[in-house]
Amino acid sequence: VTMKLAIISSILASAAAFAPASTGRVSTQVSETKADLEAMGKKLNPIVGYFDPLGVTDAALWGTSNEFTVGWLRQSEIKHGRVAMAAFVGYCVQSNFHFPWAMSLDGKPFPSTDMSPPEQWDALPFGSKLQIILFVGFLEFYSELAPGAGVDSGQVHYTQGGKPGQFPTFDAIPHPVPLNLYDPFGFSKNMSEETKERRLRAEINNGRLAQLGIIGFLSAQTIQGSVPALSGIVKPYVGEVMAPFSADFPM
């Protein structure tokens, strides 16, 4: 379930990010440039360094500035890396464990571990899938809110000088929410900026590796022999991993 949820959230993230944020009355504070990426590239991987063979950072997407493009690309990589890490860990966990209690009021159990993760997703009721997608959609919508873009709350947008990868608190929600999505228990409140920067670099590298990992799982399941190292480990899947509702609305 987590694997399919992660793929869907990745798609939603990409779609929302293609819509440039309204500038409104927010002043632009540039904090991400190509030079920043070049410096970060060496820290992330001293051997490869900065890698942009297609020159995407110079594209000025949608007729905007280079800084806007860099901020959008940084946010995109961090978000997709997080989605991939959730997908990879979820794939491993749900291949071996599932919740022991009933999934629905009629007593129906959660999909068995005899199924592969994509098969488990297909076995979920349509209502369960819809709840997951709506929840992920809300998180994506909420993360894009910025002062001057129709609301007075939120944070500076990542394309306008804000911090890529930073998820806002839930303070703007009308009813109380006891825990935030990021660092709900406040463990990083007193963390130094140097430590935060180092941990973010580790997160980016782990996210890149997780993207390769989850794609490897899906490839091995759907294209037999495509990943020899996973032969006999992951179960074959005959469904369509990029059609999350194919089991509900067969063509």
Side-chain angles (χ1 to χ4, degrees), residues 174-211:
H175 61 80
V177 179
L179 301 175
N180 290 311
L181 183 65
Y182 170 72
D183 193 21
F185 302 107
F187 292 145
S188 66
K189 182 168 56 176
N190 298 321
M191 190 180 298
S192 67
E193 290 301 319
E194 292 77 11
T195 301
K196 290 181 180 180
E197 182 182 356
R198 177 178 55 80
R199 293 182 62 174
L200 179 58
R201 291 199 300 269
E203 181 186 32
I204 293 173
N205 279 331
N206 291 336
R208 291 173 177 177
L209 185 60
Q211 291 177 68

Side-chain angles (χ1 to χ4, degrees), residues 121-181:
W121 170 267
D122 291 340
L124 286 178
F126 175 73
S128 298
K129 299 175 183 177
L130 192 60
Q131 291 176 50
I132 293 172
I133 291 176
L134 289 177
F135 176 68
V136 173
F138 163 75
L139 293 179
E140 177 62 19
F141 165 78
Y142 189 80
S143 70
E144 292 289 324
L145 295 178
V151 293
D152 295 326
S153 57
Q155 59 189 15
V156 179
H157 200 264
Y158 50 83
T159 61
Q160 298 172 338
K163 293 182 179 180
Q166 184 176 15
F167 195 91
T169 66
F170 290 133
D171 296 340
I173 296 180
H175 61 80
V177 179
L179 301 175
N180 290 311
L181 183 65

Side-chain angles (χ1 to χ4, degrees), residues 17-23 28 56-73 157 159-160:
F18 269 92
S22 171
T23 55
T28 300
V56 179
T57 54
D58 297 317
L61 300 177
W62 308 290
T64 58
S65 66
N66 177 254
E67 288 78 14
F68 179 105
T69 300
V70 170
W72 186 87
L73 292 173
H157 200 264
T159 61
Q160 298 172 338

Side-chain angles (χ1 to χ4, degrees), residues 6-249:
I7 292 176
I8 294 167
S9 62
S10 175
I11 295 171
L12 289 172
S14 301
F18 269 92
S22 171
T23 55
R25 57 180 181 276
V26 177
S27 60
T28 300
Q29 297 174 308
V30 176
S31 62
E32 295 286 337
T33 65
K34 182 177 179 179
D36 294 326
L37 294 185
E38 292 173 344
M40 181 179 292
K42 281 292 185 182
K43 296 179 181 179
L44 289 171
N45 191 320
I47 297 177
V48 177
Y50 176 70
F51 185 76
D52 182 21
L54 299 180
V56 179
T57 54
D58 297 317
L61 300 177
W62 308 290
T64 58
S65 66
N66 177 254
E67 288 78 14
F68 179 105
T69 300
V70 170
W72 186 87
L73 292 173
R74 288 269 288 113
Q75 173 78 3
S76 179
E77 179 180 28
I78 294 171
K79 184 178 293 184
H80 284 78
R82 290 171 177 172
V83 167
M85 286 187 283
F88 185 86
V89 173
Y91 192 106
C92 296
V93 171
Q94 70 194 59
S95 294
N96 299 279
F97 306 98
H98 68 83
F99 293 123
W101 51 82
M103 177 178 62
S104 57
L105 295 177
D106 61 4
K108 183 178 181 180
F110 282 88
S112 169
T113 53
D114 292 336
M115 302 178 180
S116 67
E119 290 172 331
Q120 291 172 336
W121 170 267
D122 291 340
L124 286 178
F126 175 73
S128 298
K129 299 175 183 177
L130 192 60
Q131 291 176 50
I132 293 172
I133 291 176
L134 289 177
F135 176 68
V136 173
F138 163 75
L139 293 179
E140 177 62 19
F141 165 78
Y142 189 80
S143 70
E144 292 289 324
L145 295 178
V151 293
D152 295 326
S153 57
Q155 59 189 15
V156 179
H157 200 264
Y158 50 83
T159 61
Q160 298 172 338
K163 293 182 179 180
Q166 184 176 15
F167 195 91
T169 66
F170 290 133
D171 296 340
I173 296 180
H175 61 80
V177 179
L179 301 175
N180 290 311
L181 183 65
Y182 170 72
D183 193 21
F185 302 107
F187 292 145
S188 66
K189 182 168 56 176
N190 298 321
M191 190 180 298
S192 67
E193 290 301 319
E194 292 77 11
T195 301
K196 290 181 180 180
E197 182 182 356
R198 177 178 55 80
R199 293 182 62 174
L200 179 58
R201 291 199 300 269
E203 181 186 32
I204 293 173
N205 279 331
N206 291 336
R208 291 173 177 177
L209 185 60
Q211 291 177 68
L212 296 175
I214 190 61
I215 289 298
F217 279 149
L218 297 179
S219 298
Q221 279 197 280
T222 55
I223 307 173
Q224 297 303 305
S226 59
V227 186
L230 295 177
S231 297
I233 298 178
V234 298
K235 302 170 183 176
Y237 178 62
V238 296
E240 177 51 66
V241 294
M242 297 306 293
F245 295 112
S246 58
D248 304 284
F249 304 103

